[in-house]
Amino acid sequence: MLKDQDIRIAVIGTGYVGLPVAVAFAGHFPVTAFDISAARIAELQAGVDSTREVSAAELRAAERLSFCDNAEELAGCNVYIVTVPTPVDRHKRPDFSALVAASETVGRSLSMDDTVIYESTVYPGATEEICVPVLERVSGLSLNNDFTVGYSPERINPSDKVHRLADIVKVTSGSTPEAADFVDALYGRIVAAGTHRAPSIRTAEAAKVIENIQRDVNIALINELTILFNRMQLDPKAVLEAAGTKWNFLGFRPGLVGGHCVGVDPYFLTHKAQELGHHPEMILAGRRINDGMAEYAAGLALNALMQRGIAVKGARALVMGLTFKEDCPDLRSTKVSGLVGALKNVGVAVDVHDPVANAEDARAECGIELTRQPSDGVYDLVVLAVPHREFAAMGASAVRALLTPGGVLFDLKWMLPDGAADLRL
């Protein structure tokens, strides 16, 4: 395998996953970070990361890191790390088009004794069943004879400044024992928390998807309990706080489950399960519950308006926050857009304000025009959908000032103190 002084790394994809990986490895090796987006490369070359995962100071300090959108500049690299997104399509089937395209890009530069490491989330078996054949076809080389492959699933938590790449144990694997040793040692250079070497690539792939399935199913349980407790006229927050006094009660909260991981990854495993003739009942049940929470939340808000005698058709609403989680500009698979759509479908005029989201991305991803500065005293309904720091800093009185007299303040994420909102999930 390669010696340290010979390693030259290429990172394919410079998003929430790829950029931190590239910056970390650039502290030890020459790194070329490639992205098909010329605009993304231009901003990174200017020292700006719109994802907010890497600071300008960190980019300046990464002296051995270069950026490119020309795949020919990958020539001479010998370790390729693929970090492209793997979403699902509208039928909830895995969309590996970016993964296949990235594998083709790598295949055109692949040489003898190189190693390709995948971090993108897939179902168990996909690396060897989908990616490797592409590498072999394009390069003309043979797996484990001419090159090796590894899989080390990403565990990036966007906007989390405590649990960063170096602080999260990294699962590693390889297509041969020697490749597994190499991949494990490589990540050991940048992950202070340590590594966990899985016995196979398929094991590492499976570990990644069940991390997020477990979280998805647990949130679905709390969401279903929340629906039930609301019907029983019990405060879900009070019930969960009481139950949480037991040492082994898990502290999940209800909410809208979006984003590029928890709301997507379960479909990778259910797709593979159904291929094998197994119907994954609990996983899909959890998905159905969580996918329905945006409409449920909209229903609560509309009911609250009607109880106050406010006509739904023509009512004005402000939804505060559009991204899939707090303090993060990522709009992928955000469920807030479903809430907005459900309100609009019954005639509510909806403004959406999000100081963290990019306006062009909101337009492209969600078909939503962001409101730059909401006006006080004009909204019949204000929904605190995403608890950004900027919203928390406003305080309850400033948020309530946005309402008309008798308007409804809906604290969907329990951001405000008890009693400060008229409604919460």
Side-chain angles (χ1 to χ4, degrees):
M1 302 303 292
L2 292 167
K3 296 180 179 179
D4 278 7
Q5 64 267 25
D6 299 322
I7 293 174
R8 297 179 300 279
I9 296 175
V11 176
I12 313 301
T14 63
Y16 289 87
V17 175
L19 183 61
V21 168
V23 169
F25 274 123
H28 303 273
F29 310 105
V31 177
T32 301
F34 168 81
D35 203 289
I36 60 172
S37 169
R40 174 65 170 162
I41 293 302
E43 76 170 23
L44 291 173
Q45 289 174 332
V48 177
D49 173 27
S50 59
T51 71
R52 303 188 179 191
E53 290 302 302
V54 176
S55 69
E58 289 171 319
L59 283 174
R60 285 194 301 270
E63 296 180 355
R64 304 178 78 183
L65 174 62
S66 62
F67 300 99
C68 71
D69 60 355
N70 182 357
E72 292 181 2
E73 295 183 38
L74 301 177
C77 293
N78 46 32
V79 176
Y80 298 85
I81 302 175
V82 177
T83 64
V84 297
T86 47
V88 292
D89 64 20
R90 62 190 184 93
H91 301 294
K92 309 300 185 184
R93 297 174 304 196
D95 177 1
F96 289 153
S97 57
L99 194 62
V100 169
S103 298
E104 290 174 338
T105 296
V106 172
R108 285 190 282 271
S109 295
L110 199 62
S111 299
M112 291 286 292
D113 301 322
D114 289 357
T115 298
V116 185
I117 304 168
Y118 289 89
E119 292 207 7
S120 305
T121 303
V122 293
Y123 58 71
T127 298
E128 292 153 303
E129 295 167 6
I130 294 176
C131 302
V132 167
V134 174
L135 294 173
E136 291 182 322
R137 171 176 56 80
V138 176
S139 69
L141 302 176
S142 174
L143 177 68
N144 296 336
N145 293 315
D146 304 321
F147 70 95
T148 56
V149 166
Y151 183 78
S152 182
E154 62 90 1
R155 281 177 164 172
I156 296 294
N157 187 27
S159 81
D160 188 339
K161 301 307 179 186
V162 176
H163 304 98
R164 305 192 73 188
L165 174 62
D167 310 312
I168 305 170
V169 173
K170 200 81 163 72
V171 175
T172 66
S173 62
S175 57
T176 67
E178 294 76 18
D181 287 341
F182 175 75
V183 173
D184 194 69
L186 189 70
Y187 281 102
R189 300 291 295 271
I190 64 169
V191 181
T195 60
H196 175 90
R197 179 175 160 177
S200 69
I201 287 176
R202 286 163 59 87
T203 301
E205 292 167 329
K208 168 58 180 178
V209 289
I210 70 165
E211 289 173 16
N212 289 320
I213 289 172
Q214 182 185 70
R215 182 167 176 79
D216 192 42
V217 169
N218 275 287
I219 297 172
L221 171 62
I222 300 303
N223 276 337
E224 185 166 41
L225 291 173
T226 296
I227 295 169
L228 174 61
F229 293 146
N230 281 332
R231 289 191 177 184
M232 298 172 70
Q233 297 185 322
L234 285 169
D235 181 355
K237 184 171 184 284
V239 174
L240 291 173
E241 286 175 345
T245 59
K246 189 180 180 188
W247 76 92
N248 60 354
F249 187 83
L250 302 178
F252 289 92
R253 287 187 171 191
L256 307 183
V257 185
H260 68 297
C261 283
V262 180
V264 172
D265 294 359
Y267 291 116
F268 291 116
L269 193 58
T270 59
H271 171 81
K272 190 63 177 179
Q274 289 166 335
E275 274 190 356
L276 297 171
H278 173 73
H279 181 69
E281 296 184 28
M282 180 176 287
I283 300 171
L284 288 175
R287 280 284 76 230
R288 283 193 297 273
I289 292 169
N290 287 340
D291 278 344
M293 286 304 290
E295 286 209 9
Y296 174 73
L300 289 180
L302 295 171
N303 187 57
L305 288 175
M306 290 185 288
Q307 286 183 343
R308 295 200 173 187
I310 299 172
V312 167
K313 189 174 179 59
R316 290 196 64 183
L318 174 67
V319 174
M320 300 179 69
L322 180 60
T323 61
F324 91 90
K325 67 179 291 188
E326 61 272 18
D327 307 318
C328 173
D330 196 347
L331 290 163
R332 287 175 294 176
S333 301
T334 176
K335 298 301 181 185
V336 180
S337 60
L339 169 67
V340 172
L343 293 174
K344 286 183 175 180
N345 284 343
V346 293
V348 178
V350 184
D351 289 344
V352 180
H353 173 58
D354 193 318
V356 175
N358 178 278
E360 290 183 9
D361 291 344
R363 191 178 303 115
E365 289 279 338
C366 309
I368 290 175
E369 294 288 338
L370 294 179
T371 296
R372 183 165 295 182
Q373 188 59 52
S375 301
D376 285 352
V378 300
Y379 297 103
D380 303 298
L381 170 68
V382 170
V383 182
L384 276 167
V386 186
H388 292 314
R389 280 193 295 264
E390 287 91 335
F391 298 156
M394 291 175 64
S397 58
V399 175
R400 189 168 283 282
L402 296 163
L403 289 165
T404 57
V408 175
L409 175 54
F410 185 2
D411 184 7
L412 195 150
K413 292 290 288 185
W414 303 358
M415 188 183 82
L416 301 176
D418 289 354
D422 306 302
L423 180 68
R424 63 186 180 199
L425 197 59

